[in-house]
């Protein structure tokens, strides 16, 4: 009987990858907090995760021929990235709000840690099952 890691790990593996990608997007926002005209971006984590796990009712694309463009697997594409609407826009056109980005980055880091701990528990459980403990 083969072990399906996709079924065994559940939603945690794609969630961990998406959290890592979101951390990159939020870090980019923070790095450009003083760049005139920079527009803060983010993506809707729940909708992207639902799309990757099959829980979405949206129509997805499929690569049906070798000559088709590569599909993005696992990370949100540029179509998923949305512009953040600032609560208090700045004069230079920058839409990064330092406190909002820090708060979102910390929430994302905590969620990443929770997903990592859940994956770790799954692997420990699989290891115990394989060794008969």
């Amino acid at each position: 009987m083969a072990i399906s890691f996709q079924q065994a790990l559940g939603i945690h593996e794609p969630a961990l990858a998406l959290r890592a990608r979101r951390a990159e997007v939020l870090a980019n926002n923070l790095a450009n907090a003083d760049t005139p005209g920079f527009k803060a971006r983010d993506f809707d984590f729940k909708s992207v995760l639902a799309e990757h796990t099959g829980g979405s009712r949206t129509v997805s694309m499929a690569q049906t021929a070798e000559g088709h463009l590569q599909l993005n697997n696992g990370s949100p594409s540029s179509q998923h990235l949305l512009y953040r609407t600032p609560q208090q826009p700045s004069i230079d056109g920058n839409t990064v709000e330092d406190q909002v980005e820090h708060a979102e980055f910390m929430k994302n880091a905590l969620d990443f840690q929770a997903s990592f701990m859940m994956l770790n528990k799954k692997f420990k459980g699989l290891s115990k099952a394989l060794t008969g403990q």
Side-chain angles (χ1 to χ4, degrees):
M1 180 176 174
I3 296 175
S4 168
F5 281 107
Q6 190 171 13
Q7 287 182 345
L9 301 178
I11 198 170
H12 301 294
E13 189 267 333
L16 195 66
L18 286 174
R19 293 275 178 220
R21 176 66 180 122
R22 186 164 186 241
E24 291 174 14
V25 171
L26 295 173
N28 188 43
N29 289 344
L30 286 169
N32 288 291
D34 294 329
T35 304
F38 182 81
K39 307 294 182 203
R41 301 188 84 177
D42 199 356
F43 59 88
D44 183 10
F45 180 81
K46 287 182 181 177
S47 66
V48 175
L49 182 63
E51 187 175 310
H52 287 286
T53 58
S56 175
R57 294 184 185 265
T58 61
V59 177
S60 62
M61 296 189 322
Q63 187 176 4
T64 56
E66 201 170 297
H68 290 169
L69 294 174
Q70 283 280 358
L71 295 175
N72 194 355
N73 54 352
S75 66
S77 64
S78 61
Q79 71 181 9
H80 293 105
L81 287 176
L82 307 170
Y83 289 104
R84 191 185 306 270
T85 304
Q87 295 175 356
Q88 191 169 11
S90 67
I91 295 173
D92 64 0
N94 187 315
T95 62
V96 177
E97 294 176 307
D98 208 25
Q99 294 84 8
V100 172
E101 298 299 330
H102 275 104
E104 291 297 322
F105 191 85
M106 288 306 298
K107 280 194 276 183
N108 189 60
L110 289 173
D111 290 339
F112 180 89
Q113 188 174 5
S115 292
F116 185 77
M117 288 174 57
M118 293 298 288
L119 266 179
N120 194 22
K121 285 183 179 182
K122 293 271 187 179
F123 279 119
K124 283 183 179 176
L126 286 172
S127 177
K128 284 182 179 179
L130 290 174
T131 57
Q133 295 178 358

